[in-house]
Amino acid sequence: AGHKLVALSLAGKLARTAAVAPSMKDASDKAKVKAFIQGPLKNWMLEQATAIDTLSAAGTTLAPAGRAIVAVEAGMADLRLVDRIRSAPTPSSWDKELKAVYEAALDEALEPRKKRGRDAALVGLSDYAAAQAATEPRVDRARALLSKLYGGRRIDALDTLAVPNAPARFELGRKYWRRVDFVEAAYV
């Protein structure tokens, strides 16, 4: 119970990280956008990344039930950070080709943070699956964010599958993507 309380405290703090990025009103001038990205946006990103790293490190020593809570929240915090940075302004004077090159370079630079978020979320999902947590709002939010940032992959592809009278193990398999849950559901 103590581990779970610590986890909930850490998760609350992680949920407040990377929430609102600094914004820029006028993105028409290239020099202003560059100064914004290299100044306030970069400082905000480094501050948020440090906070996420510090908070998530504290969750690694918790029991699996607590670790699941912290890992999913840490994963979502990292993925939110990537999403906010991707939403940074670009000069309106850029043509489509230049903007595409910039976004590709930005995605490449953010890839380690995106992978870290994905891996943390998957650790949390694994811990939740081991505990057979069928209904957990954090899991649903994490899956939605993973689906958004990994748009080419259908993370939520099984969500719309209608299976009448599906056993509980089937629902666990649908949520956590574990083969063992589908196998056990087939035996039922």
Side-chain angles (χ1 to χ4, degrees), residues 109-132:
L110 292 172
E111 190 64 24
R113 181 64 54 178
K114 185 177 166 184
K115 284 182 180 178
R116 185 182 187 279
R118 178 203 62 203
D119 292 348
L122 292 175
V123 165
L125 290 174
S126 175
D127 285 344
Y128 272 120
Q132 296 187 2

Side-chain angles (χ1 to χ4, degrees), residues 111-157:
E111 190 64 24
R113 181 64 54 178
K114 185 177 166 184
K115 284 182 180 178
R116 185 182 187 279
R118 178 203 62 203
D119 292 348
L122 292 175
V123 165
L125 290 174
S126 175
D127 285 344
Y128 272 120
Q132 296 187 2
T135 56
E136 175 56 49
R138 268 187 198 86
V139 170
D140 297 334
R141 289 193 315 268
R143 292 174 82 245
L145 196 50
L146 283 166
S147 184
K148 179 181 179 183
L149 290 178
Y150 286 93
R153 297 172 181 92
R154 289 300 314 226
I155 291 168
D156 55 358

Side-chain angles (χ1 to χ4, degrees), residues 7 10-12 14-17 52 67-78 80 120-121 138 141-142:
L10 291 170
L14 282 163
R16 291 187 294 273
T17 60
I52 293 166
R67 186 180 60 211
I69 294 169
V70 175
V72 167
E73 281 296 343
M76 286 192 298
D78 276 326
R80 260 194 324 273
R138 268 187 198 86
R141 289 193 315 268

Side-chain angles (χ1 to χ4, degrees), residues 34-69:
K34 184 177 180 181
F36 172 75
I37 290 172
Q38 292 179 345
L41 188 64
K42 180 181 177 184
N43 293 339
W44 175 82
M45 187 190 100
L46 292 173
E47 176 185 291
Q48 298 302 308
T50 301
I52 293 166
D53 293 347
T54 302
L55 292 167
S56 62
T60 60
T61 61
L62 298 174
R67 186 180 60 211
I69 294 169

